[in-house]
Amino acid sequence: MNTNKIKHIGVFTSGGDSPGMNAALYAITKCAEVNEIKVSGFRKGYEGLIDGDLIPLKSHDLQKLVHQGGTILKTARSERFMTLQGREKALQTLRKAHVDALIAIGGDGTFKGLLAFSEICDIPFIGIPGTIDNDLAGTDYTLGFDSAVNTAIENIDKIRDTAESHNRVFIVEVMGRDSGYIGIHSGLVVGANGILIPESTQDLHLLLEKVKNYHSEDAFLIVVSEGDETGTDLVASKIKEVNPDIDLRITRLGHVQRGGHPSAFDRMLGIRLGAASIDVLLRGSENVMVGLYNNMICTTPFQNVVKQHHIDEELQDLLKVFGS
Amino acid sequence: MNTNKIKHIGVFTSGGDSPGMNAALYAITKCAEVNEIKVSGFRKGYEGLIDGDLIPLKSHDLQKLVHQGGTILKTARSERFMTLQGREKALQTLRKAHVDALIAIGGDGTFKGLLAFSEICDIPFIGIPGTIDNDLAGTDYTLGFDSAVNTAIENIDKIRDTAESHNRVFIVEVMGRDSGYIGIHSGLVVGANGILIPESTQDLHLLLEKVKNYHSEDAFLIVVSEGDETGTDLVASKIKEVNPDIDLRITRLGHVQRGGHPSAFDRMLGIRLGAASIDVLLRGSENVMVGLYNNMICTTPFQNVVKQHHIDEELQDLLKVFGS
Amino acid sequence: MNTNKIKHIGVFTSGGDSPGMNAALYAITKCAEVNEIKVSGFRKGYEGLIDGDLIPLKSHDLQKLVHQGGTILKTARSERFMTLQGREKALQTLRKAHVDALIAIGGDGTFKGLLAFSEICDIPFIGIPGTIDNDLAGTDYTLGFDSAVNTAIENIDKIRDTAESHNRVFIVEVMGRDSGYIGIHSGLVVGANGILIPESTQDLHLLLEKVKNYHSEDAFLIVVSEGDETGTDLVASKIKEVNPDIDLRITRLGHVQRGGHPSAFDRMLGIRLGAASIDVLLRGSENVMVGLYNNMICTTPFQNVVKQHHIDEELQDLLKVFGS
Amino acid sequence: MNTNKIKHIGVFTSGGDSPGMNAALYAITKCAEVNEIKVSGFRKGYEGLIDGDLIPLKSHDLQKLVHQGGTILKTARSERFMTLQGREKALQTLRKAHVDALIAIGGDGTFKGLLAFSEICDIPFIGIPGTIDNDLAGTDYTLGFDSAVNTAIENIDKIRDTAESHNRVFIVEVMGRDSGYIGIHSGLVVGANGILIPESTQDLHLLLEKVKNYHSEDAFLIVVSEGDETGTDLVASKIKEVNPDIDLRITRLGHVQRGGHPSAFDRMLGIRLGAASIDVLLRGSENVMVGLYNNMICTTPFQNVVKQHHIDEELQDLLKVFGS
């Protein structure tokens, strides 16, 4: 495609929201403006695309919102876009609004949607990885992960205070339905005594050995990913089994990990990836996700952006030494 | 008692820990030192009293710890102190250590223990209200309440980010097993759409009316005290009943509300009540709790320090206008 | 005045901004709506009154902004309102907009302006105390004070980390041009080794005595109010005089103390005073400030709302024991 | 050297403290224990080495302190170690304590000290980069940088609140005596209107052009590195020159940027580099710094660890688009 013809870009956020999305929106809009391109934001992900629910975006307004959590465009999952009928309505919206390119911030599901859409819509699509789970191939970091870990550990630090005051055992469940990145990172950096994640299935036994000999002269913190197959409640009951005297508490941090001001790292990531999305678009790329690999901007075709559950060797070693 | 004879004070924290306890320990020790009194801290509440587990406290060390959550003396509930035998052992500890007065930071259970103890031990006892629940007669504020509310609302603010991004309904359960102070305060100040607390039983009906007409163009936040008789899960199921389309999430904040750096207010309260405990002790008081009433230091006999569930008229009016 | 006739209230924020102002705006609007009164917000304080710069306020929008720092109405100091000509223009604005009553959030200067205005404008005025300095007669707490102290101590806690790592002496200057409330509160609760405030002029001598003997096996923190007459730089040079070996650093916290999310206490204060302003207005009060005295709502005629620099006896005693 | 002979490692922190140092100490100790090596910590950097001021380190104790700012070993700059006599005394300390290897956490000055020391002391030395300035060759990130940026932006976010309420121009000075990494990162992610750093000397002109046309309907934030040659005060006076009507304020964030709980990223970096230091030591490395390059552990000989002021092309481009 002749990228000189790009005069109007549409952008939307899709799937679960994550801190840093507004920073990316700011960067996209600012870099577009520098290239004399106007930007419209579609609200509520694919739903706004289908319903023609769009607003003009100006970098001057977004500049004040870089620090804000969530996404000012709102986000949603869309059943309708999974149907051809829905996608055809979206196509009409784009034509009516004269949108020449589309940038989506979301996860692998979002990009799968774009792939399906590309069968009937031939304008270029660019993706930006936005999910707190950090489990996408094609990037070392996804938008929101660093913020989610920081929120998790601020809360676990608080739990340490009360755990140490009472010599209690705490199980803290963190987010990560399929992946243990939040779990392993937050567990390591709060000095957890045990870390259970879906990618590593042999740790429960070791943990139970340790807990068996625990005689309450200290706090004992266990971080469990919600996706860990054992399940937080089962872990609790097994602990009570091997050491019935333990004063055990469970806290599930839940959706607080999705919100709050993005961390410096996530804001910077949003700005880098937002700027990169315009850059690669203007260089003629399409149907790729921009990402950060070895601290450098890279692109990955949508079809290769799959969920990834690989814990690298260094991290596995750390888990072995510190988490069990 | 001749208070000139007080040369050695024992202090301990008991019951649930709460932010600000270390500030109180600092103030007690500093004010004691000014009066040439030495201070020993008993560890793990009454357990340390029974077992003679005590450490010397110096204001020079505690000064660095005013900002620290939890209690450096640790705390516990003691079955043994509920027996006469346990209390007799505690008496021996005090005699052996030549302790002339005892200051306890805790809740109504702690002070009941002191009352029982006073039958066999004739040194003066002073109490300081330390519980995040803010439900003690004799003081407008208990140590830790302001910090707990601040922790709750920081987390609920984060939940607002994701709730607004998704137009979701969230039920956030806050602490308060018997009392709704944390619930009413945190609910009001996060701009909650509904607040359910144990002291007010008619609000669920109003809430369901509102939720019935909720059509997802905004976040909708409901704050529920864990002690609310309806129960968080039941509230959720009733909401789903009246409006099945709602995208509902539950987060239970849990023990994070007990930890973390104390707020400015709680540190100041700890310092004021800590200083006051030495002051009233040296003026000859005994078996009273020092508290803050209408912004002034006051004392209340232990027998009158009961759990209190009174929501005053002003707060009730606010709840009616803002919380339903 | 027949308060039944109040159908439209104007509100504005004036003077320095302070955290909690948006909470007060929310409460004013919500309580007005309950009474079927509409609310308009004038932007930039008296400037908006003069220029007719007003926007409609809806509680539904403000509910999401309770946690936000600053004031969404913006604020300013107005030279023009000090002239009769300016006030006459403001009067025209109010008449044109059919405003029946006016609520102002600000300091003593703001209320003086209203008194002058009352000579030509006979609708009722109500004031709400909004200033981080906490130095107004007629209320125990002003909006923003608790947040400012919390921001100050979070930063001073960080300074303690580096001060202890280096065994350094730090002078931290906090806000308070004429009053030492932020200084005394923040100094006490960070465990400062010295506290210098304008209301207490003999402390420098004691501080220098202490510093003279300081031999760097610890951090040494000095909190100074910007309004302290000695001046931060002079304090520094005197310290270097009595103990030239000291590794001394100065940090001026500055305007960070004005911003940030309001604390739970300030949000609650904003809601209480906002609700009270509508309440007393509808009961027929005029030209009074609502405040909190001994934890209860009270009103004070504008002419009595002067700057107040009284440190009560309890606080003075604490300062003597802990701050020097 | 035969690394099997390593039975006792000495560790110390040197130069400016930075958040994450305690996490590194925890990891060093834990990994050493796994290899049956004991660890001693020298207090106050090289001073403790000279004076034989050492304490045993146990991972069990350090595990609770991962979240703590500063360094529990304290740090200092040492004049004495710059002399041969000082280094000879340090050598005696190491011999007397039977220390077989030394790990230092600090900056380029620290490593230069080790190089000089290696002339008389033949045990292996390993370095870990600890400085908030992020300006060392051999690693993409230094310990403390991410935390310092997060502290800076949390404070600048607060300043935005008050700046927007007043339509004010703020100059915020951040740390970075020779390097602008904190400046460029924090400036970009707070949505600053201008960013001035030592590595880029042409931006002042552009900034003044922008400020000239600023007519106060918004906040205007300028982030300046303390090392920027123009100097914060000069920037301020030039702004007042081109636009005298501007309501300008200056805030110097100062030493708060050195303290506070380390961010998740810095704790993880501390754990990774701490673990790596033991790993490379046991593999026979000596006189190298472990670092993170392209997200992987790497080592750099001490002589190559110089101060580095290179802003890469991507960052320069971002600065051009967003910072001016």
Side-chain angles (χ1 to χ4, degrees):
Chain A
M1 170 178 198
N2 184 340
T3 56
N4 288 332
K5 285 193 194 145
I6 297 180
K7 298 293 174 207
H8 185 192
I9 292 175
V11 61
F12 63 97
T13 51
S14 177
D17 65 317
S18 64
M21 284 181 162
N22 291 326
L25 294 175
Y26 167 54
I28 290 167
T29 307
K30 179 88 176 181
C31 292
E33 288 170 1
V34 167
N35 289 285
E36 293 175 3
I37 296 167
K38 77 170 180 172
V39 181
S40 294
F42 291 94
R43 296 173 78 245
K44 299 187 220 166
Y46 285 117
E47 292 289 299
L49 219 57
I50 293 171
D51 295 334
D53 182 359
L54 78 174
I55 53 173
L57 296 182
K58 303 283 171 205
S59 71
H60 180 265
D61 303 322
L62 289 162
Q63 188 165 16
K64 304 170 195 171
L65 304 173
V66 177
H67 67 291
Q68 209 151 291
T71 160
I72 60 152
L73 288 182
K74 293 185 183 266
T75 182
R77 299 179 202 274
S78 172
E79 302 272 320
R80 290 192 289 161
F81 198 76
M82 293 186 189
T83 68
L84 181 58
Q85 204 187 354
R87 293 195 291 273
E88 278 170 347
K89 261 200 106 200
L91 181 60
Q92 288 164 28
T93 296
L94 292 179
R95 283 189 179 149
K96 205 169 144 193
H98 300 290
V99 169
D100 307 315
L102 210 49
I103 300 176
I105 312 175
D108 58 321
T110 305
F111 306 143
K112 278 201 197 84
L114 286 176
L115 267 184
F117 197 25
S118 70
E119 288 166 21
I120 60 166
C121 177
D122 66 351
I123 65 171
F125 301 149
I126 305 291
I128 291 177
T131 161
I132 62 168
D133 287 336
N134 207 35
D135 59 352
L136 293 186
T139 191
D140 287 338
Y141 291 101
T142 58
L143 265 186
F145 169 67
D146 185 66
S147 304
V149 176
N150 273 298
T151 293
I153 69 172
E154 278 164 29
N155 277 309
I156 304 174
D157 288 348
K158 289 186 206 284
I159 287 174
R160 175 177 286 285
D161 284 343
T162 185
E164 285 186 354
S165 297
H166 284 275
N167 292 338
R168 266 181 186 156
V169 177
F170 266 87
I171 302 178
V172 184
E173 185 188 281
V174 297
M175 278 195 157
R177 203 165 291 280
D178 309 297
S179 81
Y181 290 96
I182 296 178
I184 192 169
H185 278 258
S186 60
L188 284 172
V189 305
V190 298
N193 303 76
I195 302 171
L196 299 177
I197 58 169
E199 291 86 348
S200 167
T201 51
Q202 303 179 320
D203 305 329
L204 181 59
H205 180 71
L206 288 167
L207 176 65
L208 292 177
E209 280 304 305
K210 255 170 110 174
V211 158
K212 201 191 286 182
N213 302 311
Y214 170 76
H215 288 300
S216 85
E217 266 314 312
D218 261 306
F220 192 101
L221 302 182
I222 302 161
V223 172
V224 182
S225 286
E226 62 176 344
D228 184 70
E229 63 175 15
T230 322
T232 301
D233 288 325
L234 192 56
V235 173
S237 72
K238 292 211 170 185
I239 288 172
K240 295 297 282 184
E241 231 168 70
V242 299
N243 191 338
D245 294 338
I246 277 181
D247 187 3
L248 181 72
R249 293 291 186 282
I250 298 174
T251 297
R252 290 175 165 88
L253 294 182
H255 280 75
V256 298
Q257 296 162 84
R258 289 206 168 282
H261 296 309
S263 67
F265 187 94
D266 272 331
R267 298 187 200 185
M268 194 67 181
L269 186 63
I271 286 174
R272 291 176 75 180
L273 296 182
S277 69
I278 296 293
D279 188 52
V280 303
L281 184 67
L282 295 184
R283 289 172 195 271
S285 291
E286 55 181 8
N287 297 338
V288 296
M289 182 190 82
V290 292
L292 203 68
Y293 185 63
N294 285 352
N295 209 16
M296 279 175 304
I297 298 295
C298 62
T299 58
T300 307
F302 284 151
Q303 48 268 39
N304 298 347
V305 183
V306 290
K307 280 231 167 80
Q308 158 187 285
H309 307 289
H310 174 69
I311 304 286
D312 69 28
E313 210 181 322
E314 186 200 347
L315 217 45
Q316 281 184 37
D317 286 349
L318 292 177
L319 184 61
K320 244 175 258 166
V321 175
F322 294 91
S324 57
Chain B
M1 170 175 197
N2 183 341
T3 55
N4 288 333
K5 286 194 196 148
I6 297 181
K7 299 292 174 208
H8 184 191
I9 293 174
V11 59
F12 64 98
T13 52
S14 174
D17 64 318
S18 64
M21 284 180 160
N22 292 326
L25 294 176
Y26 167 55
I28 290 165
T29 308
K30 180 86 175 180
C31 293
E33 287 170 1
V34 166
N35 288 286
E36 293 175 3
I37 296 168
K38 77 171 178 170
V39 181
S40 294
F42 292 93
R43 297 173 77 244
K44 302 188 222 165
Y46 285 117
E47 292 289 300
L49 220 55
I50 293 171
D51 296 332
D53 181 359
L54 79 172
I55 53 174
L57 296 182
K58 303 283 170 203
S59 71
H60 179 265
D61 303 320
L62 289 162
Q63 188 165 16
K64 304 171 193 171
L65 304 173
V66 177
H67 68 290
Q68 207 152 292
T71 160
I72 59 154
L73 288 182
K74 296 186 182 265
T75 180
R77 298 179 204 275
S78 172
E79 302 272 319
R80 290 191 288 162
F81 197 77
M82 293 184 189
T83 67
L84 182 58
Q85 202 187 355
R87 293 194 291 274
E88 277 169 349
K89 260 199 106 203
L91 181 61
Q92 287 164 27
T93 296
L94 293 179
R95 283 190 179 147
K96 204 169 146 193
H98 299 291
V99 170
D100 307 315
L102 209 48
I103 300 176
I105 312 175
D108 57 320
T110 304
F111 307 141
K112 279 201 196 85
L114 286 176
L115 269 184
F117 197 27
S118 70
E119 288 166 19
I120 60 165
C121 177
D122 66 350
I123 64 172
F125 302 148
I126 306 290
I128 292 177
T131 159
I132 62 168
D133 288 336
N134 207 37
D135 59 351
L136 292 187
T139 190
D140 287 337
Y141 291 100
T142 57
L143 263 187
F145 169 67
D146 185 66
S147 303
V149 175
N150 274 298
T151 293
I153 70 173
E154 278 163 30
N155 277 310
I156 303 175
D157 287 348
K158 288 186 207 282
I159 286 174
R160 176 177 285 285
D161 284 342
T162 187
E164 286 186 353
S165 297
H166 284 275
N167 293 336
R168 265 181 186 154
V169 177
F170 266 88
I171 302 177
V172 184
E173 185 187 283
V174 298
M175 278 194 157
R177 203 165 292 278
D178 310 297
S179 82
Y181 291 95
I182 296 178
I184 192 169
H185 278 257
S186 60
L188 284 171
V189 305
V190 298
N193 302 77
I195 301 171
L196 300 176
I197 57 169
E199 290 85 350
S200 168
T201 52
Q202 303 180 321
D203 305 328
L204 181 60
H205 180 70
L206 288 167
L207 176 66
L208 292 177
E209 280 304 306
K210 255 170 111 175
V211 158
K212 201 191 286 181
N213 302 310
Y214 169 77
H215 288 299
S216 81
E217 267 314 312
D218 262 305
F220 192 101
L221 302 182
I222 302 161
V223 172
V224 182
S225 286
E226 62 177 343
D228 185 69
E229 63 174 17
T230 322
T232 302
D233 289 325
L234 192 55
V235 173
S237 72
K238 292 210 170 187
I239 288 173
K240 295 296 283 184
E241 229 169 71
V242 299
N243 191 337
D245 295 338
I246 276 181
D247 187 4
L248 182 71
R249 293 290 187 282
I250 299 174
T251 297
R252 290 175 166 88
L253 294 182
H255 279 76
V256 299
Q257 297 162 84
R258 289 207 169 279
H261 296 309
S263 67
F265 188 94
D266 272 331
R267 299 187 200 183
M268 194 67 180
L269 186 62
I271 287 175
R272 291 175 75 179
L273 296 182
S277 69
I278 296 293
D279 188 53
V280 303
L281 184 68
L282 295 185
R283 288 171 194 272
S285 290
E286 55 181 6
N287 296 337
V288 296
M289 181 190 82
V290 290
L292 203 67
Y293 185 63
N294 286 350
N295 210 16
M296 280 174 305
I297 298 295
C298 64
T299 57
T300 307
F302 283 150
Q303 48 269 40
N304 297 347
V305 183
V306 290
K307 277 231 169 80
Q308 160 186 284
H309 308 288
H310 173 68
I311 305 285
D312 69 28
E313 212 181 322
E314 186 200 349
L315 216 47
Q316 281 185 37
D317 287 348
L318 293 177
L319 183 61
K320 245 176 256 165
V321 174
F322 294 91
S324 59
Chain C
M1 167 176 201
N2 183 339
T3 55
N4 288 332
K5 286 192 195 148
I6 297 181
K7 298 293 174 205
H8 185 191
I9 293 174
V11 61
F12 64 98
T13 51
S14 176
D17 65 317
S18 64
M21 283 181 162
N22 291 326
L25 293 175
Y26 167 56
I28 290 166
T29 308
K30 180 85 176 183
C31 292
E33 288 170 1
V34 167
N35 288 286
E36 292 175 3
I37 297 168
K38 77 169 179 173
V39 181
S40 294
F42 292 93
R43 297 174 77 244
K44 300 188 222 165
Y46 285 117
E47 292 290 299
L49 219 57
I50 294 171
D51 296 332
D53 182 359
L54 78 172
I55 53 174
L57 296 182
K58 302 285 170 203
S59 72
H60 180 264
D61 302 321
L62 289 162
Q63 188 165 17
K64 303 171 195 172
L65 303 172
V66 177
H67 67 292
Q68 209 153 289
T71 159
I72 59 154
L73 289 182
K74 294 183 182 269
T75 182
R77 299 180 202 274
S78 172
E79 302 272 319
R80 291 191 288 161
F81 198 78
M82 293 185 188
T83 68
L84 182 59
Q85 203 188 354
R87 293 195 290 275
E88 278 170 347
K89 259 200 106 202
L91 181 61
Q92 287 164 29
T93 296
L94 292 179
R95 282 189 179 149
K96 204 169 143 193
H98 300 291
V99 169
D100 308 315
L102 210 49
I103 300 175
I105 312 175
D108 58 320
T110 304
F111 305 142
K112 278 200 197 85
L114 285 176
L115 268 184
F117 197 26
S118 71
E119 288 166 19
I120 61 166
C121 178
D122 67 349
I123 65 170
F125 302 148
I126 306 290
I128 291 176
T131 160
I132 62 168
D133 287 335
N134 207 37
D135 58 352
L136 292 186
T139 191
D140 287 337
Y141 291 99
T142 58
L143 264 188
F145 169 67
D146 185 65
S147 303
V149 175
N150 274 297
T151 292
I153 69 172
E154 278 164 29
N155 277 309
I156 304 175
D157 288 348
K158 289 186 207 284
I159 286 173
R160 175 176 286 286
D161 284 342
T162 185
E164 285 185 354
S165 296
H166 285 275
N167 292 338
R168 265 181 184 154
V169 177
F170 266 88
I171 303 178
V172 184
E173 185 187 283
V174 298
M175 279 195 154
R177 202 165 292 279
D178 309 297
S179 82
Y181 290 96
I182 296 178
I184 192 169
H185 278 257
S186 60
L188 283 172
V189 305
V190 298
N193 302 77
I195 301 172
L196 299 176
I197 57 169
E199 291 86 349
S200 168
T201 52
Q202 304 181 322
D203 304 329
L204 181 60
H205 180 71
L206 288 168
L207 176 66
L208 292 177
E209 280 303 306
K210 256 170 109 173
V211 159
K212 199 190 288 182
N213 301 312
Y214 170 76
H215 288 299
S216 86
E217 268 313 312
D218 261 307
F220 192 102
L221 302 181
I222 303 161
V223 172
V224 182
S225 286
E226 62 177 343
D228 184 72
E229 62 174 16
T230 322
T232 302
D233 288 325
L234 192 56
V235 173
S237 71
K238 293 211 170 183
I239 288 173
K240 293 297 282 184
E241 229 169 72
V242 299
N243 191 338
D245 295 337
I246 275 182
D247 187 5
L248 181 71
R249 293 289 186 283
I250 299 174
T251 296
R252 290 176 166 88
L253 294 183
H255 279 76
V256 299
Q257 296 162 85
R258 289 206 168 282
H261 296 309
S263 67
F265 188 93
D266 272 330
R267 299 188 200 184
M268 195 68 182
L269 186 63
I271 287 174
R272 291 175 75 179
L273 296 182
S277 69
I278 297 293
D279 188 53
V280 302
L281 183 67
L282 295 183
R283 288 172 194 271
S285 292
E286 55 181 9
N287 296 337
V288 296
M289 181 189 82
V290 290
L292 203 67
Y293 185 64
N294 285 351
N295 209 16
M296 279 175 303
I297 299 295
C298 64
T299 59
T300 308
F302 283 151
Q303 48 268 41
N304 298 346
V305 182
V306 291
K307 278 233 168 79
Q308 160 186 284
H309 307 287
H310 173 68
I311 303 286
D312 70 27
E313 210 181 322
E314 186 200 347
L315 217 46
Q316 282 185 37
D317 287 348
L318 292 177
L319 185 61
K320 243 175 260 165
V321 175
F322 294 91
S324 57
Chain D
M1 168 175 202
N2 184 341
T3 56
N4 288 332
K5 286 193 194 146
I6 297 181
K7 299 292 174 207
H8 185 193
I9 293 175
V11 60
F12 63 99
T13 51
S14 176
D17 64 319
S18 64
M21 284 181 161
N22 291 327
L25 294 176
Y26 167 54
I28 289 166
T29 308
K30 180 87 175 182
C31 292
E33 288 170 1
V34 167
N35 288 286
E36 292 175 4
I37 297 168
K38 78 170 178 172
V39 182
S40 294
F42 292 93
R43 296 173 78 245
K44 301 188 219 164
Y46 285 117
E47 292 289 300
L49 220 56
I50 294 171
D51 295 333
D53 182 359
L54 79 171
I55 53 174
L57 296 182
K58 302 284 171 203
S59 71
H60 180 264
D61 302 321
L62 289 162
Q63 187 166 18
K64 304 171 193 171
L65 304 172
V66 176
H67 67 290
Q68 208 153 290
T71 160
I72 58 154
L73 288 183
K74 296 185 182 267
T75 181
R77 299 181 203 275
S78 172
E79 302 271 321
R80 291 192 287 160
F81 197 77
M82 294 182 188
T83 67
L84 181 59
Q85 201 186 356
R87 293 195 291 273
E88 276 170 348
K89 259 198 109 203
L91 181 61
Q92 287 164 29
T93 296
L94 293 180
R95 283 191 179 147
K96 203 167 146 195
H98 300 291
V99 169
D100 307 314
L102 209 50
I103 300 176
I105 311 176
D108 56 320
T110 305
F111 306 142
K112 277 201 197 84
L114 285 177
L115 268 184
F117 197 25
S118 69
E119 287 166 20
I120 60 165
C121 177
D122 66 350
I123 65 171
F125 301 148
I126 306 290
I128 291 176
T131 159
I132 63 168
D133 287 335
N134 208 36
D135 60 352
L136 292 187
T139 190
D140 287 337
Y141 291 100
T142 57
L143 263 187
F145 169 67
D146 186 66
S147 304
V149 175
N150 273 300
T151 292
I153 70 172
E154 277 163 30
N155 277 310
I156 303 175
D157 288 348
K158 288 185 206 284
I159 286 174
R160 176 176 285 286
D161 284 342
T162 186
E164 286 186 354
S165 297
H166 284 275
N167 293 337
R168 266 182 185 154
V169 178
F170 266 89
I171 302 178
V172 184
E173 185 187 281
V174 297
M175 278 194 156
R177 203 165 291 277
D178 310 295
S179 82
Y181 290 95
I182 296 178
I184 193 169
H185 278 258
S186 61
L188 283 171
V189 305
V190 298
N193 302 77
I195 301 171
L196 299 176
I197 57 169
E199 291 85 350
S200 167
T201 53
Q202 304 179 320
D203 305 329
L204 182 60
H205 180 71
L206 288 167
L207 177 66
L208 292 177
E209 279 305 305
K210 257 171 109 174
V211 158
K212 201 190 287 182
N213 302 310
Y214 170 77
H215 288 299
S216 83
E217 268 313 313
D218 261 306
F220 192 100
L221 302 182
I222 302 161
V223 172
V224 182
S225 286
E226 62 177 343
D228 184 71
E229 63 175 15
T230 322
T232 302
D233 289 325
L234 192 57
V235 173
S237 72
K238 293 211 169 184
I239 287 173
K240 294 297 281 183
E241 231 168 70
V242 299
N243 191 339
D245 295 339
I246 276 181
D247 187 4
L248 182 71
R249 293 290 186 283
I250 298 173
T251 297
R252 290 175 165 89
L253 294 182
H255 279 76
V256 298
Q257 296 162 86
R258 288 207 170 281
H261 296 309
S263 67
F265 188 93
D266 272 332
R267 299 188 200 183
M268 195 67 181
L269 186 63
I271 287 175
R272 290 175 76 179
L273 296 183
S277 69
I278 296 294
D279 188 51
V280 303
L281 183 68
L282 294 185
R283 288 172 195 273
S285 292
E286 56 182 8
N287 296 338
V288 296
M289 181 189 81
V290 290
L292 203 67
Y293 185 63
N294 287 350
N295 211 16
M296 279 175 304
I297 298 295
C298 63
T299 57
T300 307
F302 284 151
Q303 48 268 42
N304 298 347
V305 183
V306 290
K307 278 232 169 78
Q308 160 187 284
H309 307 289
H310 173 70
I311 304 286
D312 70 28
E313 212 181 321
E314 187 200 347
L315 217 47
Q316 281 185 36
D317 287 348
L318 293 177
L319 185 61
K320 245 176 257 166
V321 174
F322 294 91
S324 59

